[in-house]
Amino acid sequence: MAGVAAPPRAVRRAWALVALVGAGLAVLTLLAAAAADQLDGHPAARVVLVLANAGSVWAGQAVLAGWLVRRAPAAALAGPAVGLLSLVTYYVLGALTGLTPWSGLADNLGWLVAAALAGVPLGLVGALARRRDDLGVLARLVVPAGAVLEPLVRGWLGDGVLGGGVLGVAGLVLIAAGLVGGAIVVRRGIVTSR
């Protein structure tokens, strides 16, 4: 198209990374599903599958997408785009490999709607996370807080953590990751505010 300048290299690179994040999570989730299937539901493989499917992980990719593209208008597009790309990639690759049925995409239309709607504010949180003020610190705490809260709200710890329950172990991993991530955010937030 004449008269339209190509986007700067940094913008193209950011959007390429958004696409890589979206496709990467889809492939990781499919590999986790295949491993759990191949290992006849081995508990460790099932823990990885639960973690790959965790809502906080999928929401976190929308926040990351917003952070990658930096600006609020782009972040409002990147959040839903990365979620939709992940879901479409997951179901299409799953159908091509026989891991999911061809009807998977149509059967899970609700997840596409959820990714489109929730992706907008999550992408904007990612853009806010670049700020160096208290609002930026709060935005950076969204994903760690989600990782801590998800297993608690969903009752995963009642799955017998000490007995090796899959949901309980996955819940502990998410909580530990969220606490470590939150501590890093708070520590860096305190250091940068001085």
Side-chain angles (χ1 to χ4, degrees):
M1 194 185 293
V4 176
R9 181 178 297 170
V11 172
R12 289 193 309 268
R13 185 178 311 125
W15 280 100
L17 287 172
V18 168
L20 184 62
V21 166
L25 182 57
V27 170
L28 172 71
T29 305
L30 276 172
L31 290 174
D37 187 46
Q38 289 293 316
L39 296 172
D40 292 324
H42 187 279
R46 288 178 50 218
V47 166
V48 172
L49 182 58
V50 168
L51 292 171
N53 279 295
S56 53
V57 171
W58 284 71
Q61 79 169 341
V63 173
L64 176 59
W67 184 85
L68 288 168
V69 299
R70 297 176 176 259
R71 306 251 187 265
L77 293 173
V82 76
L84 292 170
L85 175 65
S86 280
L87 289 165
V88 170
T89 302
Y90 175 84
Y91 287 113
V92 169
L93 285 180
L96 289 172
T97 59
L99 290 169
T100 63
W102 277 104
S103 63
L105 196 56
D107 293 344
N108 290 285
L109 222 56
W111 287 117
L112 292 168
V113 171
L117 295 177
V120 173
L122 290 168
L124 291 171
V125 166
L128 287 173
R130 286 194 166 271
R131 293 175 57 139
R132 295 187 172 269
D133 58 8
D134 290 341
L135 186 57
V137 172
L138 286 174
R140 288 189 295 278
L141 285 171
V142 167
V143 174
V148 169
L149 291 173
E150 181 176 7
L152 299 174
V153 170
R154 295 182 71 184
W156 290 359
L157 298 184
D159 186 42
V161 176
L162 297 178
V166 169
L167 291 177
V169 172
L172 283 180
V173 170
L174 272 182
I175 289 170
L179 290 174
V180 168
I184 291 169
V185 167
V186 169
R187 173 80 174 120
R188 287 190 178 167
I190 290 169
V191 170
T192 57
S193 67
R194 288 185 186 168

